Amino acid sequence: MDMIDRYLNAVAAQLPQDERADIIAELRDLILSRFEAKEEELGRPLTEDEQESILREIGHPLVVAARYRKGPDSLIGPELFPYWLFGVKAGLLVLLAVQAIGLFIHLISGTDDAGQAIGHAFHGFFSSGLTLIGAATVAAAIFEHYDIRPKWMTQWRVRDLGAFGLSDPAAWGVKVDTIKPPRPPMTPWSASRHKNGWPGGEYLFSFLAAGIFVLWWVGVLHFPPFGSIELRGQDAIVTAAPVWSTLFAPILVYALLQMAVDLNSVFRPYAVRLRALARIPVAIAGLWLTWRISEAGHWFTLTRGDETARIAGDWSLLDLNLLQALGDGGRDLAGVASTLSVVMVWALAISAISLICSIILNLWRLARG
């Protein structure tokens, strides 16, 4: 009886108090009946080892108590798990992009220890990633425990399901097997599918990236790597030139328009003409902003103590020889500013070419569909 009491006390500790007495009484009757049946079979009293063996067959106290517990029996149930996985994948991808940009700036600035900069980038990604996963898990667990189901989970529409295709690894261009599955019969839907997987993935990533930029642009998010550059153990302060204050509102409006177009493309990835019609004026606006920024000729100022250097330039820096010698620049303040000036001019040029190509491509899509 002492062994039975210890077992039942362990089970009772896991049960709600208002139901504990009835459940324990039921379990006691079950255990006693099992003991009596075994004793009748053997023709003698049970030893302690034999009693313990029967209790093991009934189950561990935690497992037995879980059979009587109301509510979810898992932290994230099978219904919520796909949404959790989708959010974690998208969030990790954004964090990876942010850390990669910060690492690029550190390496360009000529930090003394490139390995340490890479290590800091990995540490920042993993620590931020673990925080993201923890926050997503806590949110999903609350939804599971209190049976919360947002309207977009219960009253969804088929045409709004495109965004959730991102949980498929093929949406990111990842090859998950080496054997091609049999080709299904041709249908209008299969004929219009993107050959590289779900076409809404790129638009969702663009939407998230633009959202991160907007939050940083308005000052909600702060990324320390963009406020200072390490130069031989001493930080150089990065100050924005007046052109960014002048174009603050136009750039914000441009980013919000880009987000609106991307969000519509996420849910309607096959609306080719509508997306092309929206992207053409957005690309023209981006081309105008690129021209205004390039015409300013001065973009940032580096300050270290009493020493200053400007990140500035014009189209004369579009020289392949300068680009090839990019890593050979000086590691002092003036050298780093000169290197970043070349990078900035080339970035503006590539942006302009990309926007021009986007206009031409979307004009073709508008005509062809």
Side-chain angles (χ1 to χ4, degrees):
M1 296 300 294
D2 182 60
M3 183 176 294
I4 295 175
D5 288 338
R6 289 201 300 270
Y7 180 84
L8 292 177
N9 287 337
V11 176
Q14 319 304 322
L15 297 172
Q17 294 185 359
D18 56 342
E19 301 177 356
R20 183 176 300 177
D22 294 337
I23 295 174
I24 294 302
E26 179 183 343
L27 284 175
R28 187 183 296 275
D29 291 341
L30 172 64
I31 295 171
L32 290 176
S33 64
R34 295 280 294 271
F35 278 16
E36 291 172 359
K38 192 65 175 178
E39 287 176 347
E40 184 177 350
E41 177 186 344
L42 297 175
R44 60 173 173 80
L46 298 177
T47 64
E48 285 193 2
D49 290 341
E50 291 170 338
Q51 293 176 1
E52 195 162 21
S53 177
I54 293 175
L55 292 176
R56 288 198 192 99
E57 292 177 1
I58 295 175
H60 192 281
L62 293 177
V63 177
V64 173
R67 299 170 188 164
Y68 296 92
R69 188 167 51 239
K70 297 179 180 179
D73 56 0
S74 58
L75 189 63
I76 303 176
E79 182 184 0
L80 289 177
F81 178 76
Y83 299 94
W84 174 88
L85 184 61
F86 168 81
V88 167
K89 281 184 178 180
L92 289 178
L93 190 61
V94 173
L95 290 177
L96 181 62
V98 171
Q99 291 296 332
I101 294 173
L103 177 61
F104 172 77
I105 291 179
H106 271 297
L107 295 178
I108 286 296
S109 67
T111 179
D112 289 335
D113 193 346
Q116 185 179 11
I118 296 174
H120 285 164
F122 274 103
H123 178 269
F125 172 71
F126 283 115
S127 60
S128 302
L130 290 175
T131 302
L132 169 69
I133 294 173
T137 302
V138 170
I142 293 174
F143 279 28
E144 186 73 38
H145 183 76
Y146 292 101
D147 196 25
I148 300 173
R149 297 296 184 270
K151 184 179 294 186
W152 50 266
M153 289 180 58
T154 58
Q155 300 181 15
W156 49 270
R157 297 176 300 177
V158 173
R159 70 178 192 177
D160 295 338
L161 295 180
F164 298 101
L166 193 61
S167 58
D168 181 7
W172 304 102
V174 178
K175 191 174 183 180
V176 295
D177 54 24
T178 57
I179 301 176
K180 293 184 178 180
R183 179 174 294 180
M186 184 63 69
T187 63
W189 170 258
S190 62
S192 63
R193 287 183 62 85
H194 196 277
K195 64 180 181 179
N196 293 325
W198 177 64
E202 58 178 300
Y203 306 124
L204 181 59
F205 173 74
S206 177
F207 172 79
L208 294 174
I212 294 293
F213 170 79
V214 168
L215 293 177
W216 171 76
W217 188 248
V218 299
V220 175
L221 294 180
H222 300 278
F223 300 121
F226 303 117
S228 61
I229 296 178
E230 184 180 349
L231 294 174
R232 299 191 179 278
Q234 186 176 358
D235 287 345
I237 305 302
V238 181
T239 305
V243 62
W244 303 109
S245 298
T246 304
L247 297 178
F248 177 86
I251 292 176
L252 178 60
V253 172
Y254 171 75
L256 292 175
L257 289 174
Q258 184 68 51
M259 289 181 64
V261 174
D262 289 334
L263 186 60
N264 180 73
S265 300
V266 166
F267 294 110
R268 304 182 64 184
Y270 298 107
V272 179
R273 283 194 172 92
L274 178 62
R275 180 166 59 253
L277 183 63
R279 282 187 176 276
I280 291 172
V282 173
I284 293 174
L287 195 60
W288 176 79
L289 286 172
T290 303
W291 175 77
R292 286 291 306 273
I293 294 170
S294 64
E295 286 297 304
H298 173 213
W299 306 297
F300 300 98
T301 300
L302 300 182
T303 305
R304 185 178 61 179
D306 297 332
E307 187 181 2
T308 61
R310 300 191 350 158
I311 299 176
D314 52 33
W315 298 119
S316 64
L317 296 180
L318 286 176
D319 189 335
L320 290 177
N321 293 326
L322 292 176
L323 190 62
Q324 292 174 354
L326 195 61
D328 300 332
R331 300 305 184 185
D332 57 351
L333 195 67
V336 171
S338 176
T339 299
L340 292 178
S341 298
V342 175
V343 171
M344 188 70 183
V345 171
W346 275 93
L348 289 171
I350 293 172
S351 174
I353 295 172
S354 175
L355 290 168
I356 292 172
C357 292
S358 176
I359 294 172
I360 297 173
L361 179 61
N362 284 294
L363 285 172
W364 180 81
R365 287 174 175 171
L366 188 61
R368 295 292 300 274

